[in-house]
């Protein structure tokens, strides 16, 4: 039998346990933590209410809930994750490398509805609080764990993800939480095992895997850490330069390439240096993002080396031309929240060693206040708004207009109407250059100002008129919605190739 020293040498782990902090035994990790499971259940209920009510009120979108459902539907049927929203026969794995969606396929086969996906996301985001709060309780006690658990659960990054459709980040959040807690506890092999599945979630997360490996090496397991760095970098390279292009047929697009390339690479080395230095702070949304990352921790997270794990995600976001990546909206910051709050706990542990418990109480009080002040500014607050629970005539109108569309029909629909149909029809976005031409049905929301890909409602109205000129007749009008159907004997194509509108920026999911 191999000795402990031989085992440590063969894995690259240090022969002696890292002295600070010690690895907890199972009893220390689990004692008195029942309340954390109740916290997770409460957060799940909150997230589910917010996201499902948005869908019921026709506030979700084709970009992105429609994309996610079509991908999961493809996996559930035993085929490729074909996403009609992104183009005829477009494969999700040529847009983002996210085979993790296949994990939802068995559940979707039983409950084929977008609500299944929203509930799965709510569960995965909520369950991440368990390792975070347990770590906080072990290090700082239950009162601190309550503040940290609620800080994570009500954080603006998680709230924004819950309030905007569903995304692959739902898988990354609990995996990241498990990995960063294991790093904090110096369970280095466990940290790597939690991090490696991130390679199946999204192509850029290999950089986060590499960052985990760098910290593992820094904490003493050099061989294991370097191997993890190589695996993360190689995984991202393979996905970006081989797997994404291999799954991108002609006529579709890759969001990774479109979002990460520079629209203007002029200026040479000086321009590149500016972009990765002062350029990181040249726009107000970038500065606000950086401040809000650490403000809920009373800046204490800056004391922890674990906070370095946010750098890969921040690097590609802040150097991108896509302004949607720079701020606090949408789902882009959700994966950062576990890192920030575990770093907060680690920073408090370090602070206590130098300044005593009084400073800990002060930092926790500041954290609680900042969290409470930020909640009303983000989507979780909608759970207590009367408008969330009001019966809206527009919802009944939407259901009435969608009802005549038969199952398995080909449809172009306004962005917010797409996920109302993806469970039973082949749907693309009305007016998008990626949409399949000549659908049998068109259904349009004529008053929604957030109607990508159009810049203005007048542009959309002109496109509806074009549809009527090329053989579509009105079947039903209810409130702000209109349903059109194509005449079977009209030979004209809709839309004519030269008339598709210039798309108004990049859709949020891109």
């Amino acid at each position: 039998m191999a000795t402990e020293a031989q085992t440590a040498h063969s894995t690259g782990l240090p022969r002696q346990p890292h002295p600070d902090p010690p690895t907890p035994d199972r009893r220390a990790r689990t004692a008195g933590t029942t309340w954390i499971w109740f916290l997770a259940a409460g957060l799940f209920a909150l997230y589910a209410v917010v996201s499902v009510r948005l869908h019921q009120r026709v506030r979700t979108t084709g970009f992105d809930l429609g994309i996610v459902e079509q991908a999961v539907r493809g996996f559930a049927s035993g085929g490729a994750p074909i996403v009609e929203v992104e183009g005829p026969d477009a494969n999700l794995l040529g847009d983002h490398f996210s085979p993790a969606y296949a994990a939802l396929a068995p559940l979707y086969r039983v409950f084929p509805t977008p609500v299944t996906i929203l509930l799965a996301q709510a569960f995965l985001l909520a369950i991440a609080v368990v390792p975070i709060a347990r770590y906080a309780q072990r290090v700082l006690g239950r009162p601190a764990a309550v503040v940290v658990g609620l800080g994570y659960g009500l954080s603006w990054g998680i709230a924004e993800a819950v309030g905007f459709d569903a995304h692959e980040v739902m898988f990354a959040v609990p995996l990241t939480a498990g990995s960063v807690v294991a790093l904090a506890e110096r369970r280095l092999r466990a940290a790597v095992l939690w991090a490696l599945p991130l390679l199946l979630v999204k192509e850029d997360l290999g950089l986060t895997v590499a960052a985990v490996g760098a910290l593992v090496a820094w904490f003493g397991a050099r061989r294991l850490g370097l191997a993890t760095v190589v695996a993360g970098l190689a995984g991202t390279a393979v996905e970006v330069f081989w797997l994404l292009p291999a799954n991108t047929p002609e006529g579709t697009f890759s969001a990774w390439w479109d979002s990460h390339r520079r629209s203007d690479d002029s200026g040479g080395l000086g321009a590149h240096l500016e972009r990765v230095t002062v350029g990181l702070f040249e726009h107000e949304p970038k500065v606000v993002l950086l401040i809000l990352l650490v403000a809920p921790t009373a800046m204490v997270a800056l004391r922890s080396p674990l906070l370095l794990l946010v750098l890969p995600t921040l690097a590609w976001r802040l150097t991108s031309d896509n302004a949607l990546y720079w701020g606090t909206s949408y789902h882009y910051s959700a994966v950062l929240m576990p890192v920030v709050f575990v770093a907060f706990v680690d920073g408090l542990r370090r602070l206590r060693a130098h300044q005593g418990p009084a400073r800990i109480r002060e930092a926790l009080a500041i954290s609680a206040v900042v969290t409470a002040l930020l909640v009303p500014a983000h989507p979780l607050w909608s759970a207590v708004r009367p408008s969330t629970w009001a019966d809206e005539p527009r919802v009944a109108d939407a259901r009435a207009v969608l009802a005549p569309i038969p199952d398995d029909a080909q449809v172009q629909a306004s962005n917010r109407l797409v996920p109302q149909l993806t469970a039973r029809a082949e749907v693309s976005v009305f007016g998008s250059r990626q949409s399949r031409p000549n659908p049998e049905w068109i259904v349009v929301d004529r008053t929604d100002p957030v109607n990508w890909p159009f810049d203005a409602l007048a542009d959309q109205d002109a496109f509806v008129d074009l549809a009527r000129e090329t053989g579509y007749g009105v079947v039903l009008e209810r409130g702000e919605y209109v349903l059109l159907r194509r005449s079977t004997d009209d030979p004209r194509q809709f839309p004519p190739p030269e008339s598709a509108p210039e798309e108004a920026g990049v859709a949020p999911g891109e």
Side-chain angles (χ1 to χ4, degrees), residues 336-387:
L336 304 179
M337 296 298 105
V339 177
V340 167
F341 282 92
V342 176
F344 180 31
V345 177
D346 187 52
L348 288 172
R349 178 185 65 82
R350 295 166 184 270
L351 188 63
R352 181 177 58 187
H354 293 91
Q355 299 186 25
R359 182 67 178 90
I360 301 296
R361 290 191 293 270
E362 177 185 322
L364 289 170
I366 293 172
S367 175
V369 170
V370 172
T371 295
L373 290 175
L374 289 176
V375 168
H378 296 281
L380 295 182
W381 190 249
S382 66
V384 298
R385 288 198 183 104
S387 59

Side-chain angles (χ1 to χ4, degrees), residues 5 20 84 177 195 208 213 274 313 325 331 355 362 366 378 392 398 431 439 507:
D20 183 27
E84 283 283 312
T208 299
E274 179 182 2
T313 297
Y325 292 153
H331 56 290
Q355 299 186 25
E362 177 185 322
I366 293 172
H378 296 281
E392 299 174 281

Side-chain angles (χ1 to χ4, degrees), residues 19 117 127 265 280 296 315 318 337 340 350 435 442 464 468 487:
I117 296 168
I127 202 67
D265 285 326
L280 297 176
L318 299 184
M337 296 298 105
V340 167
R350 295 166 184 270
S435 293
I442 292 174
V464 171
R468 299 182 70 171
S487 172

Side-chain angles (χ1 to χ4, degrees), residues 177-210:
S179 182
V180 70
V181 167
L183 277 173
E185 296 179 337
R186 301 303 188 266
R187 295 181 289 115
L188 303 183
R189 187 183 294 107
V192 170
L193 293 176
W194 277 107
L196 286 175
L198 291 172
L199 291 168
L200 302 177
V201 176
K202 193 164 173 276
E203 61 278 356
D204 62 273
L205 288 172
L207 303 179
T208 299
V209 174

Side-chain angles (χ1 to χ4, degrees), residues 110 175 283 331 355 377 397 426 455 476-477 479 499:
V110 180
L175 290 171
H283 298 283
H331 56 290
Q355 299 186 25
D397 292 341
E426 299 300 324
D455 281 310
L476 181 63
E477 291 186 74
S499 66

